Amino acid sequence: MTVPLDENEDWPTLGQYEHSHLYHDRAAVRGFDQIASLASSYDFVVVGAGPIGAALAYKLSIDHPHRRLLVVERSWDEPDRIVGELMQPAGCQALEALGLRTVFSGIDAVPVHGYHIAYRGQQLYVPYPRKADGSRFRGVSFHHGRLVMNLRAACKSRRNITCLEASVGRLLMKDKETVYGVSISPPRGDVSDAAQQHTVSAGLTLVCDGISSQFRKTLNPEPVAMLSHFCGFVVEHEPADSARFFDGPEGANTHTMQAATPARENPLPMPHNGHVLLDGLGPVLLYQLTERHTRVLADLPGAALPPSDAALRAALRESLARAAPKHMYPGLHARLAAAVADPAQRIRAIGCRFVPAAANRFGGALWIGDALNVRHPLTGGGMTVGLADVALLCAHLRRAAPGDYGALSARAVRRAAARWSWDRRPRALVVNTLSVALHALFAAGDSPDLGLLRDACFRYLARGSLCNAHPAGFLSGLLPSPLLLVAHFFAVAALAMSLRLSGDPKAAHSGLLSLPARCLAALRTLWVAACVILPFMWKELQP
């Protein structure tokens, strides 16, 4: 077994997980053939056992040990996905609040210290913020399926949770305003076949069926536009010889580098960090799943993918060659080129969307996680928002239903849900808006105004101090301040305007005669910046 170069003292990545004996335990999961043994009603029914549903069920079972929970998941086998593989520090904090601090143990997870960003031949480091004791927060990267299985193992360990492998065909409604339970079908059966359906009533139904939620339109019928696609594959390599990350004084917590990165066994410029390479067709992300495996995610802008596998590989080849040029990253360049050229290399794609949260219109049910709210995966904030929402919701429900016996009060649950919907907004707004705004800049192609804002963004981060520390706080989910996000974004816009006005060669032609044109161009840049961020913030503020 490979020993990680640095242990994560906050969220342990070494050692054996306390519920590892239940990782593959099928005896703890009931099949649809055992449906007759189910109770006819439960206090809580959780739809979906992904990271959000499993964590929610586990925490509810602890907070309400005498209430019964049913978790319905179509397949309890280990999932295989290409996103949801990096947990920001605020997401790790949420897991700790949920009693799941050790969930990263035993899955070869890797501590993450910050982000290495490369743009136009320069490299920049954005470390995570500091804690009160002077050390820095850390995140964690991992195989998505392994983390989910650890979370499910925690659910299996709770006596008041029933784990069921089945499909939820529909939500049971009365008066078109209240959900009182679910209709359950075989996991791969016909959900419209009445003979194959079993109904279960619930005091509260929690919809956590993820990014492809079949029930999202029940709550939010608005059409969802596709922003881009992430194409992903895994590169194998030797472990790094050192965990190289910068930890200088706060006023100089960033650096740019011009020198070429030498080839070595581990091709990443800064192991144990996320990597964002901005010179491709869209941004390219790299982060370790284990010491020997790195995920590559290349963003291809546009609503549609190339029409064939050959065309897809050609687009990836071009994007990766531009993002990781040979003169800067010889080892990484060679690994990426070989992976795309290998016909046996599995290349998978996932659509990237933005779905703002909708106001809850139904009694007896709540949508949470990606079933409620989706952002672009560029910043890796999905599970952070979802798990923070889980921790906040559980706290409100614990206060709303302090008694552990008797029926859940519908009025108390509605009041708790209303408070939760309001209290979750700051963090969700910051993380979600940041993800789509940065994607708009980083995948702007040849747009002169967005390109100038992208240049200004890189220069702004390179200034260090709060110009670097606060954006790191937004990215990590540790600084949920919408007003501060707006202030920094328009500070970047002001820097872009100054480039226009100063006659910077990258922004406009210099000279006194061109000053009126440059002033108009600067105002247009401000308008474009406002159009990038404000519409998304307005949508997040709607519910």
Side-chain angles (χ1 to χ4, degrees), residues 271-454:
H272 290 208
N273 286 277
H275 297 76
V276 186
L277 313 180
L278 298 177
D279 293 316
L281 300 177
V284 175
L285 307 184
L286 302 100
Y287 49 85
Q288 290 175 259
L289 304 179
T290 69
E291 292 292 347
R292 294 178 177 271
H293 299 90
T294 289
R295 170 70 70 193
V296 180
L297 288 176
D299 184 81
L300 296 182
L305 283 170
S308 66
D309 180 71
L312 175 62
R313 289 177 183 269
L316 285 177
R317 188 180 305 113
E318 177 188 358
S319 184
L320 295 172
R322 286 167 48 174
K326 187 175 182 180
H327 69 279
M328 286 191 65
Y329 307 101
L332 179 61
H333 178 91
R335 295 289 181 96
L336 296 179
V340 174
D342 182 3
Q345 175 66 255
R346 186 187 183 195
I347 297 177
R348 304 168 62 194
I350 184 170
C352 304
R353 308 169 178 86
F354 171 67
V355 182
N360 189 53
R361 300 183 284 114
F362 303 97
L366 282 174
W367 280 250
I368 190 167
D370 283 349
L372 171 70
N373 185 201
V374 181
R375 77 288 310 145
H376 198 284
L378 173 65
T379 56
M383 287 187 296
T384 295
V385 172
L387 291 169
D389 283 354
V390 168
L392 193 59
L393 177 62
C394 288
H396 281 301
L397 289 175
R398 189 166 59 248
R399 288 192 290 268
D404 213 18
Y405 298 95
L408 290 168
S409 166
R411 182 180 179 185
V413 169
R414 280 198 302 270
R415 294 178 65 181
R419 293 192 186 100
W420 168 73
S421 180
W422 180 261
D423 291 345
R424 68 173 295 275
R425 288 186 187 189
R427 193 187 312 273
L429 189 151
V430 167
V431 174
N432 296 344
T433 303
L434 184 69
S435 73
V436 288
L438 288 181
H439 181 260
L441 298 187
F442 295 164
D446 297 327
S447 169
D449 291 303
L450 291 175
L452 181 63
L453 286 168
R454 183 170 58 232

